[in-house]
Amino acid sequence: MSTDNTVEAALGALRQAISGLENAVDMRFEAQRESAEVEGEVKRVHADRARLAQELDQSEFRANRLEEVNREVSRRLVTAMETIRAVLDR
């Protein structure tokens, strides 16, 4: 094998190695980009979950408060009906 053939073979191998390295770097960058997108989506999901949990807590508080008010209104209605019956019975 002549020196020219040896150099050409070495250059071909070097080109293949560089091409493989470029492909590996491109794949790594793509994986990192996808990873960053996934991390961003996870953060958005956590933020949504926190917001929904807060809204649920507020809704539960409001429901409890409405239940208390409902009981009080019901109690007052019973008292008013009893008072009206007492007046009508006189």
Side-chain angles (χ1 to χ4, degrees), residues 52-71:
L52 290 171
Q54 183 179 17
E55 288 176 9
L56 177 62
D57 289 344
Q58 290 171 347
S59 294
E60 287 176 342
F61 175 79
R62 186 167 184 259
N64 289 337
R65 180 69 181 124
L66 288 172
E67 190 175 321
E68 291 172 12
V69 169
N70 186 38
R71 278 195 296 267

Side-chain angles (χ1 to χ4, degrees), residues 6-22:
T6 305
V7 170
E8 285 300 321
L11 286 174
L14 181 59
R15 284 185 190 106
Q16 278 186 312
I18 290 173
S19 177
L21 181 59
E22 287 174 343

Side-chain angles (χ1 to χ4, degrees), residues 15-86:
R15 284 185 190 106
Q16 278 186 312
I18 290 173
S19 177
L21 181 59
E22 287 174 343
N23 288 336
V25 168
D26 288 344
M27 288 177 11
R28 176 65 182 204
F29 282 144
E30 180 65 22
Q32 285 178 334
R33 186 187 61 76
E34 289 174 0
S35 177
E37 288 174 1
V38 168
E39 286 178 22
E41 184 64 26
V42 168
K43 286 179 183 178
R44 285 188 293 276
V45 167
H46 282 287
D48 284 348
R49 185 205 165 278
R51 180 184 52 79
L52 290 171
Q54 183 179 17
E55 288 176 9
L56 177 62
D57 289 344
Q58 290 171 347
S59 294
E60 287 176 342
F61 175 79
R62 186 167 184 259
N64 289 337
R65 180 69 181 124
L66 288 172
E67 190 175 321
E68 291 172 12
V69 169
N70 186 38
R71 278 195 296 267
E72 178 62 20
V73 166
S74 193
R75 185 190 64 76
R76 288 182 184 189
L77 282 173
V78 168
T79 302
M81 286 187 299
E82 289 172 354
T83 303
I84 291 170
R85 278 193 195 114

